[in-house]
Amino acid sequence: MKKTLLATAIVGALGASAAAQAATVYDQDGTRLDIYGRIALGIAGGGPEFDSQDREIDNGAEFVDVASRMGLRMSQQVTTDLSAFGHLEWRFRADERRSDEAFRETRQSYIGLKSEQYGTVVGGNFDSFYLQFVSKPFDVYIDQGFEFADHSKQSRGNSIGYYTPDLSGFTAFLQLKHYSERGLLEGIETTEQGEVVAAQGGVRYAEGPVTVALGFVDDVVRGGGNGEMLYGLIGSYDITDQFTARLGYEGRDNSTEFGGGFDTVGLGGTFTTGPWAFNVDYYNIERDDDSNSKAWSAGAYYKVSSNFDVFAELADGDAPSVNRDTTLGDLTDNVYWLTGARYHF
């Protein structure tokens, strides 16, 4: 591949109105490069009126970037069964000028090998396999509203993973993340937990309208956990071509030192009709420290074209219980809202 050809193709893809959400800028002799991304802008407001220390905070409306990003997907066919691939993605702030941080985060950067017969091996910085295979049915919101373990759970860098090919609907997966102390001065700069490897794994069944997965995460303290195991059993069912229901459970053991035990049950659904899509989800979260909460979220999305959509979302991570004394103000006090538009390329 000539460098000038590749550069011209990338510039052309960035400046053109793509017909799909990704543009192939090179595809020849088994080597392919796609560029994709989105510019997303919105207005957000609401949310909690007080912080954890009961100090009042301003939760007024503001103009925001809504996870704008740009990425590259690369692949090369090695044999008829084996292919090599790479993926690189950045986040950038689109809501205002950022002269000192054109790209503020390397969101994903990984490489791997895929065999149709033996499975896929991935190494680098990628979404947690637990999200990709277990909690994914609930990951339907652009911003807030997802209460199960997300893409960064014991992942995002220094990770290696493997998942099998589809075996009559079943896919098994295993991922390891390494927390190193290399280069630190022993006894002076070492961490309390030391060198740690966090594992996660499980199995998913996806066949026809049914998807169900069982997984675990070793939620180590160095990765923001409490040192205990996290488990999840989550699934979805396509009741019709337009309506999908989802149900899930996620729990983590309580630590005698760090606490943090919880049991979460989630129920939700997605309905689509023409260019419209709607999400509604509800969670019951019971924590071992008795700070229980109920959470709900809802969203509406309209596809103006194949590349442009508008949206509105609501979320309350700690909604009050509804009884005869509950007022409309009680129900709306801490509701976070977001509305905006996205252009995909």
Side-chain angles (χ1 to χ4, degrees), residues 43-48 59-60 62 64-66 142-145 296-298 312-317 331-339:
I43 301 174
N59 64 354
E62 67 171 337
V64 296
D65 170 81
V66 191
I142 296 172
D143 194 10
Q144 300 185 22
W296 64 268
S297 47
E313 292 185 341
L314 301 171
D316 191 340
L331 295 174
T332 59
D333 275 348
N334 297 321
V335 174
Y336 171 82
W337 58 268
L338 170 70
T339 184

Side-chain angles (χ1 to χ4, degrees), residues 1-12 25-26 28 33:
M1 183 195 313
K2 295 182 179 180
K3 293 182 179 179
T4 53
L5 174 62
L6 178 60
T8 302
I10 291 177
V11 171
V25 296
Y26 185 85
Q28 186 174 331
L33 173 65

Side-chain angles (χ1 to χ4, degrees), residues 261 285-294 318:
I285 307 169
E286 296 184 357
R287 301 181 179 88
D288 289 352
D289 63 0
D290 293 328
S291 60
N292 301 334
S293 61
K294 304 180 187 303
D318 191 12

